[in-house]
Amino acid sequence: MIACKCAVCMSPDKKDKRLRSSILIRSSQATVVVDTTPDFRYQMLRSGVDHVDAVVFTHSHKDHIGGLDDIRAYNFFSQRPMPLHANQETTDALKRDFYYAFADKKYPGIPELDLHLIDDNSFMVADLLFIPIQVQHLNMGVTGYRIGDFTYITDANHISDEELQKIRGSEVLVINALRKEKHLSHFTLQEAVELAASLRIPQTYFTHISHQMGLHEEVNASLPRGMELAYDGLTIEVKNHH
Ligand SMILES: [Zn+2]
Ligand SMILES: [Zn+2]
Ligand SMILES: [Zn+2]
């Protein structure tokens, strides 16, 4: 956190250095980014990502869409607009926040975007089938995704029984856990641990971690078997992604 001098913000451990939450999904035919955070440009530079086929959004909070403008580097090399998959609420926010990319007369060099509205129905990006999972973030609807045996959910503090069914059977779950203390719109570590345990997921990673969570090594060592804190740069291999 900017200007914070707490033990986590001052930690020399790389795993305590967290940019905003996002994932990159790669299959044999597709490279998909979930959310373009304000750190998107640096995240792509850091990981050397030279091609993105599509962006899939979870919700419209700034820490999940703010870096979208930098998509234009991929426009430049691919010579095509970037497909974006987002629900109605997020689509409206993208059109407001990046109004210049949707103007009738466009200034040269701005991002070229190709919006695809999503709802409850699954959709394909190349060989990847995305199944939307509707979760609650206080009063806001957030879209989680099941892709084969992998499920990604961020910014939730409640998931209905019906939507939980869509997560069951996943081999790997990534889910948000902000900190240990109660929060209005995010699962706490305990809530996320209990959810993963109740779903009997073999391997769970916690993401969207605040500096208030504590040091990575200490918190990670306290977690049950099959559960770990995610960290920037973590790579996970999932066998079945169809
Ligand atoms: Zn701090
Ligand atoms: Zn949010
Ligand atoms: Zn967030």
Side-chain angles (χ1 to χ4, degrees):
M1 184 186 183
I2 291 174
C4 184
K5 302 276 194 285
C6 81
V8 173
C9 292
M10 302 303 281
S11 166
D13 184 351
K14 270 190 191 162
K15 292 178 179 174
D16 286 316
K17 305 290 179 212
R18 304 183 185 105
L19 301 181
R20 264 64 66 88
S21 304
S22 168
I23 60 168
L24 183 87
I25 301 172
R26 271 207 180 109
S27 67
S28 59
Q29 293 174 33
T31 301
V32 179
V33 170
V34 181
D35 292 335
T36 53
T37 82
D39 300 313
F40 173 70
R41 179 173 180 273
Y42 179 63
Q43 287 165 329
M44 295 302 101
L45 286 169
R46 184 178 63 181
S47 297
V49 180
D50 60 7
H51 179 82
V52 173
D53 292 296
V55 179
V56 173
F57 288 99
T58 61
H59 67 305
S60 66
H61 280 161
K62 207 63 143 194
D63 56 324
H64 296 262
I65 68 171
L68 181 61
D69 188 80
D70 285 304
I71 274 301
R72 60 210 174 87
Y74 296 113
N75 294 146
F76 178 79
F77 287 110
S78 72
Q79 290 294 305
R80 62 180 189 102
M82 179 63 70
L84 310 179
H85 299 267
N87 67 15
Q88 187 66 60
E89 200 278 328
T90 304
T91 298
D92 294 344
L94 293 173
K95 286 180 176 174
R96 268 196 315 272
D97 288 15
F98 302 93
Y99 64 92
Y100 51 89
F102 300 98
D104 290 336
K105 284 199 171 125
K106 294 191 185 76
Y107 190 86
I110 61 171
E112 289 170 58
L113 310 172
D114 176 17
L115 278 170
H116 297 257
L117 190 64
I118 63 166
D119 50 26
D120 277 336
N121 295 308
S122 58
F123 60 93
M124 301 288 298
V125 177
D127 60 341
L128 295 173
L129 177 70
F130 285 76
I131 299 171
I133 301 169
Q134 309 302 341
V135 303
Q136 282 302 122
H137 186 27
L138 186 56
N139 298 320
M140 187 183 222
V142 172
T143 312
Y145 295 98
R146 170 106 182 230
I147 306 113
D149 287 341
F150 175 77
T151 298
Y152 181 69
I153 289 170
T154 192
D155 292 54
N157 72 326
H158 179 75
I159 307 175
S160 71
D161 289 341
E162 198 183 339
E163 297 302 298
L164 283 175
Q165 289 301 331
K166 299 177 184 172
I167 307 172
R168 275 177 217 279
S170 298
E171 287 293 318
V172 177
L173 169 67
V174 176
I175 191 159
N176 65 299
L178 191 76
R179 61 186 192 190
K180 290 170 181 161
E181 294 79 36
K182 192 81 191 149
H183 189 273
L184 264 184
S185 60
H186 281 270
F187 286 131
T188 63
L189 182 60
Q190 192 56 38
E191 288 167 344
V193 164
E194 284 168 10
L195 185 77
S198 73
L199 292 171
R200 300 172 191 276
I201 305 292
Q203 188 64 52
T204 299
Y205 297 90
F206 302 111
T207 190
H208 212 295
I209 298 164
S210 159
H211 63 145
Q212 296 166 334
M213 179 72 90
L215 293 165
H216 176 95
E217 284 303 337
E218 288 178 13
V219 177
N220 207 37
S222 75
L223 293 174
R225 257 176 71 100
M227 300 190 197
E228 292 173 50
L229 294 188
Y231 54 88
D232 285 35
L234 170 67
T235 302
I236 304 165
E237 199 169 322
V238 183
K239 291 277 177 285
N240 172 23
H241 56 263
H242 297 290

